[in-house]
Amino acid sequence: GRPAAGVANGTDALVIALHALGVGPGDEVVTTPYTFYATAEAIARVGATPVFADIDPATYCLDPEAAEARIGPATRALLPVHIFGHPADMAALRSLADARGLALVEDAAQAFGAATADGEVGTFGDAATFSFFPTKNFPGRGDGGMVVSRDEELDERVRRLRFHGSADKV
């Protein structure tokens, strides 16, 4: 499986994942406006600009063609959200990210355990984020989050970022 690191909450998971992937000031991240505001907030917190693209009316998730139309010279990443347990079209979004040299971060806060014929959520992105807030489909007793990384190198960056850059408690 992929390496995973626990973090304080789902918003921190998004912020840390974006930061670990090098997304920052001057960058744009294409995402959906049809989500909890933490998705766009996380993009803004790393200094990047959220760029909204329309949703697929069948899944309510980021439409890959709409996302492609919003990619510009400053675009650094795609950030689809699996909403209400409906997985985004990750095969198409992975292909788009690869073709354009973009990072792909899955916001899977509302889709723990969801899958399509192409695979499970959390397995397509360079990073995938989860939330264990009490209202989520896999809740914690308080709050919590997780970043699933594509490889050990990214996981190491995530673990350092979750502890203020220190390697002491990674």
Side-chain angles (χ1 to χ4, degrees), residues 51-159:
V51 175
F52 296 114
D54 208 353
I55 60 171
D56 177 329
T59 65
Y60 302 104
C61 298
L62 182 64
D63 180 274
E65 289 182 17
E68 184 171 23
R70 300 290 286 150
I71 294 171
T75 304
R76 178 87 164 94
L78 303 176
L79 203 168
V81 178
H82 306 296
I83 197 99
F84 308 131
H86 296 286
D89 184 348
M90 292 309 299
L93 289 165
R94 178 77 267 171
S95 178
L96 175 59
D98 291 345
R100 296 295 192 94
L102 304 173
L104 180 61
V105 178
E106 296 177 67
D107 181 336
Q110 295 188 28
F112 192 91
T116 68
D118 295 319
E120 297 176 358
V121 300
T123 63
F124 295 92
D126 297 301
T129 64
F130 293 86
S131 171
F132 305 123
F133 191 75
T135 60
K136 299 297 189 249
N137 61 340
F138 190 62
R141 190 134 161 82
D143 201 351
M146 180 172 63
V147 179
V148 177
S149 299
R150 67 176 175 232
D151 55 39
E152 296 293 336
E153 181 182 326
L154 182 59
D155 182 64
E156 175 68 22
R157 288 197 302 272
V158 166
R159 288 172 185 274

Side-chain angles (χ1 to χ4, degrees), residues 14-15 18-19 21-31 39-52 74-79:
L14 286 166
V15 170
L18 289 167
H19 190 79
L21 288 163
V23 177
D27 294 333
E28 293 180 350
V29 178
V30 177
T31 192
T39 307
E41 174 193 7
I43 295 166
R45 281 180 52 193
V46 298
T49 302
V51 175
F52 296 114
T75 304
R76 178 87 164 94
L78 303 176
L79 203 168

